[in-house]
Amino acid sequence: MLTPKITATREVVSLDGIWKFAVDTGAAVDTGAAPWAGPLETTLEAPVPASYNDLFTDPAIRDHVGWVWYQRTVRVPRGWADDRVIVRVDAATHHGVVYVDDRLVAEHEGGYLPFEADITDLVTAGDEFRLTIGVDNRLTPDTIPPGTVTTRADGRLAQSYMHDFYNYAGLARSVWLASRPAVHVDDITVVTDIDGTTGVVDYRVELAGAADVRVRLTDATGAEVAAAEGATGTLRVADAHLWQPGAGYLYTLVVEVTVDGIVVDEYPQTVGIRTVAVDGGRFLINGQPFYFTGFGKHEDSAVRGKGHDDAYLVHDFQLIDWIGANSFRTSHYPYAEEVMDFADRHGIVVIDETAAVGLNKKIGGGIADMLGGAADKDFADGFGPKMQDAHRREIRELIGRDKNHPSVVMWSIANEPDTMSEGTDTYFEPLFALARELDPTRPVTFVNVMMAPPNVCRVSKFADVLCLNRYYGWYVDGGDLASAEAHLEAELRGWEGMYGKPMIMTEYGADTIAGYHSVWDQPWSEEYQASMLAMYHRVFDRVETMVGEQVWNFADFQTSSGFFRVDGNKKGVFTRDRKPKAAAHALRARWTARRDDQTGVNGR
Ligand code: BDP
């Protein structure tokens, strides 16, 4: 799905700002009441984009389970009389319904991917309409991510889930009103290759309506470097300027749709010319071995929850650069498109993950729950074909949205699912096949949980790269780094011996209270976090097929409360307000040295 853009033939109006907001106490959607049928009866207002949970002081809003309503009036620009009019919601977490006046125009499941509706027939250029968006935060055994809703003794609903981050909900990303011509570009797919010093750009344009297509490729200065006619084709760029880690050079493919020689639609698609490949135990970008440094992140900040914020976007990428990192994983859901665009422009490498997190009854809310008796639950016990359908949709929509981002070098189809139980291989095999069918150009992986070592995991055989989350020195061998080091190395050598595939440590880390110091290696101290990471690094440097290290987590983040979390997960290298802990300085020394060593190779 194309991002709304202002072009010679398209306009966009941001609908961000303050909307009327109401919590649905009567389950309106389920009972037939219709809050969208007139002005919302409420005194509350909420900003878009933002999760609603932490905005209000009322705990009944923060912990609400079910529908909430957002409403505002929108005026269609008067110049749009000849255009199609589109409402686009960048994300509604987790289930969204959109009403134009009294009419339902869109419904979407999956809280981190966009959807849109063509509302042309319901609105008039120059006039106002009432836009109401309902958002349901419930997670069930059939959703991605899954969860369970139960009813408490006093009738209130309670939501539980098996992932370790707070179930922030609402309209956490932008909402747009967009115009586009009746005959228009519906989709664009770009695949790049390198032939000597020539860049090869294969493109495919899908149209709505009958028309001709012509394309031109411009470089970063705007100069045309190649052109072609037809909806599919190949462009060759002499002396191509490659997209490199650390140097995100972008071309623009300007797609023009013509009818009788007149341009009726224009859409610019950014293009980074680069290749990605797995070769034995190596991960190659542009034919050069690439070593991932960086983090698993979250979209998370105080007050906004998962609300997208351009200031945090810029600041987080500044900190990624400051610390010398070259990559991150969109743990544990697709991130806002603004993030992906920024990564493209700045040469940050991304492992792009679906929202399939917590497909694991054996660990519950974070690995810590495993100790609380979840270990005897089975995958088949509750996760069924409906969840697999939702998972398929999630893969399809993620690849549909992000396929043209050069920063994305690999798809991760799930985080820490149960891959030990019978039936998990038959659940996952078709999902890997689907991802490869949708995108034959990028490696596909999933992130393996500590309870599924090489001789136990039934799914690693399908992955192109082994992505491992390990907590030796924390959940296992906690406080005993000598044992942790021995166990970690033994396990990594086990994977290397059995598979020989490239390995990335996609999570390793220790909860750390900023400001807690100790002369001993005390868990929760800043010193322990730094020592533990250093121990992992010694091991990584000894294992040849290690191709990356992504610390858990970039910053402290909010989780549901419980006995294992005090105001959230504290494994951040930065605090929730992005102040460095001691480990940040240690990582900076290691990663900037590594980055400087790669100067030339990675274009820095
Ligand atoms: C892993 C999960 C991650 C958790 C982390 C932890 O992938 O989401 O936050 O453990 O326990 O199991 O800190």
Side-chain angles (χ1 to χ4, degrees):
M1 182 189 290
L2 296 178
T3 313
K5 282 185 187 169
I6 299 178
T7 78
T9 57
R10 297 168 176 237
E11 287 173 18
V12 176
V13 174
S14 166
L15 302 182
D16 292 353
I18 300 282
W19 292 46
K20 288 170 100 175
F21 177 82
V23 169
D24 190 330
T25 45
V29 163
D30 302 331
T31 60
W36 55 87
L40 209 51
E41 286 172 26
T42 180
T43 54
L44 298 176
E45 297 183 313
V48 175
S51 305
Y52 63 79
N53 309 76
D54 290 356
L55 300 173
F56 304 100
T57 52
D58 181 355
I61 301 180
R62 185 171 203 261
D63 301 333
H64 173 68
V65 177
W67 291 93
V68 298
W69 297 95
Y70 291 78
Q71 191 180 71
R72 58 166 287 167
T73 53
V74 177
R75 187 176 291 280
V76 181
R78 63 188 173 143
W80 290 13
D82 297 330
D83 292 314
R84 308 302 298 178
V85 180
I86 313 298
V87 173
R88 203 234 209 209
V89 180
D90 281 356
T93 317
H94 297 278
H95 178 180
V97 287
V98 180
Y99 289 84
V100 166
D101 296 324
D102 288 358
R103 294 279 291 275
L104 176 68
V105 296
E107 174 156 15
H108 181 262
E109 281 182 35
Y112 305 96
L113 287 162
F115 59 101
E116 61 178 34
D118 185 325
I119 60 169
T120 316
D121 296 340
L122 301 174
V123 298
T124 308
D127 287 357
E128 281 189 338
F129 67 90
R130 189 174 61 248
L131 180 61
T132 311
I133 303 182
V135 188
D136 185 357
N137 64 356
R138 278 175 289 185
L139 298 171
T140 73
D142 297 338
T143 60
I144 292 288
T148 312
V149 177
T150 50
T151 308
R152 297 180 205 264
D154 63 2
R156 283 174 304 138
L157 297 180
Q159 173 78 66
S160 63
Y161 41 89
M162 289 146 297
H163 52 267
D164 182 35
F165 56 93
Y166 190 81
N167 188 32
Y168 282 115
L171 296 175
R173 297 181 191 158
S174 292
V175 180
W176 310 94
L177 192 72
S179 79
R180 65 185 171 216
V183 176
H184 61 261
V185 179
D186 198 40
D187 198 14
I188 301 171
T189 307
V190 173
V191 172
T192 65
D193 202 355
I194 303 167
D195 177 12
T197 57
T198 301
V200 182
V201 178
D202 281 325
Y203 71 90
R204 191 177 72 238
V205 177
E206 277 155 51
L207 289 181
D212 296 318
V213 174
R214 65 182 190 222
V215 301
R216 60 178 197 275
L217 193 72
T218 57
D219 68 13
T221 70
E224 182 175 313
V225 293
E229 303 213 335
T232 58
T234 300
L235 302 170
R236 294 180 69 82
V237 185
D239 294 325
H241 194 148
L242 300 184
W243 188 97
Q244 297 274 20
Y249 191 89
L250 294 176
Y251 292 87
T252 301
L253 182 77
V254 182
V255 177
E256 287 180 333
V257 178
T258 62
V259 174
D260 298 330
I262 295 175
V263 176
V264 295
D265 192 22
E266 180 197 284
Y267 191 89
Q269 174 62 56
T270 47
V271 176
I273 299 178
R274 59 114 185 85
T275 60
V276 178
V278 168
D279 174 38
R282 302 183 308 164
F283 193 98
L284 305 179
I285 298 183
N286 299 335
Q288 301 290 326
F290 179 72
Y291 190 89
F292 296 74
T293 56
F295 301 97
K297 278 187 102 265
H298 264 300
E299 293 188 309
D300 177 271
S301 63
V303 186
R304 290 179 176 79
K306 296 205 171 300
H308 174 72
D309 182 290
D310 281 338
Y312 272 99
L313 164 77
V314 169
H315 191 56
D316 283 4
F317 276 96
Q318 277 288 302
L319 293 177
I320 285 173
D321 186 56
W322 172 85
I323 209 165
N326 59 21
S327 69
F328 65 92
R329 174 170 60 118
T330 70
S331 41
H332 297 307
Y333 37 83
Y335 287 5
E337 284 175 83
E338 290 86 342
V339 178
M340 311 308 286
D341 290 339
F342 201 97
D344 285 350
R345 290 195 298 276
H346 295 271
I348 300 298
V349 170
V350 179
I351 301 173
D352 205 0
E353 187 158 281
T354 69
V357 55
L359 279 62
N360 197 334
K361 301 223 163 166
K362 292 192 194 299
I363 53 173
I367 262 187
D369 263 16
M370 167 176 100
L371 310 168
D376 54 347
K377 298 227 177 78
D378 229 4
F379 188 78
D381 171 23
F383 298 150
K386 280 200 186 150
M387 188 177 77
Q388 199 192 29
D389 282 349
H391 203 157
R392 276 202 177 83
R393 197 169 57 232
E394 180 80 14
I395 293 170
R396 211 175 269 290
E397 290 183 21
L398 174 67
I399 295 179
R401 192 194 73 163
D402 287 353
K403 62 189 169 184
N404 293 327
H405 287 289
S407 56
V408 174
V409 299
M410 179 154 65
W411 307 111
S412 163
I413 63 171
N415 178 69
E416 294 195 346
D418 177 350
T419 55
M420 306 71 96
S421 303
E422 216 173 303
T424 52
D425 40 1
T426 46
Y427 176 93
F428 276 102
E429 190 172 14
L431 299 182
F432 275 92
L434 174 66
R436 292 196 174 99
E437 176 198 321
L438 294 168
D439 180 7
T441 73
R442 287 178 179 88
V444 184
T445 191
F446 78 102
V447 175
N448 163 287
V449 65
M450 186 146 189
M451 297 146 76
N455 53 334
V456 170
C457 185
R458 296 166 186 257
V459 174
S460 291
K461 56 179 181 268
F462 305 128
D464 295 309
V465 173
L466 302 171
C467 289
L468 310 176
N469 293 351
R470 290 298 178 270
Y471 287 94
Y472 293 107
W474 193 252
Y475 297 121
V476 173
D477 298 326
D480 176 2
L481 292 181
S483 303
E485 183 161 353
H487 291 144
L488 172 66
E489 181 156 1
E491 195 193 333
L492 292 183
R493 297 221 178 271
W495 285 105
E496 194 175 40
M498 190 155 169
Y499 288 96
K501 296 180 183 182
M503 289 191 281
I504 303 173
M505 189 60 64
T506 34
E507 285 185 28
Y508 61 113
D511 282 281
T512 304
I513 301 292
Y516 169 40
H517 292 285
S518 173
V519 291
W520 307 289
D521 265 342
Q522 287 292 300
W524 295 89
S525 68
E526 294 199 28
E527 287 76 10
Y528 187 78
Q529 186 184 33
S531 301
M532 194 181 121
L533 299 183
M535 176 277 282
Y536 275 77
H537 298 153
R538 284 195 297 276
V539 175
F540 299 162
D541 292 346
R542 294 194 289 260
V543 176
E544 209 185 314
T545 52
M546 283 307 293
V547 301
E549 52 195 55
Q550 292 185 331
V551 175
W552 191 253
N553 186 284
F554 172 74
D556 293 346
F557 58 91
Q558 196 51 271
T559 62
S560 61
S561 53
F563 299 111
F564 293 100
R565 298 280 179 256
V566 182
D567 193 27
N569 187 308
K570 303 290 185 207
K571 295 194 186 69
V573 164
F574 297 95
T575 58
R576 201 179 189 205
D577 61 352
R578 278 50 171 179
K579 300 287 187 297
K581 299 179 190 173
H585 295 282
L587 285 169
R588 185 172 190 231
R590 174 175 169 84
W591 288 345
T592 52
R594 189 178 278 272
R595 181 171 71 185
D596 294 344
D597 277 353
Q598 293 189 346
T599 302
V601 177
N602 289 327
R604 294 196 77 103

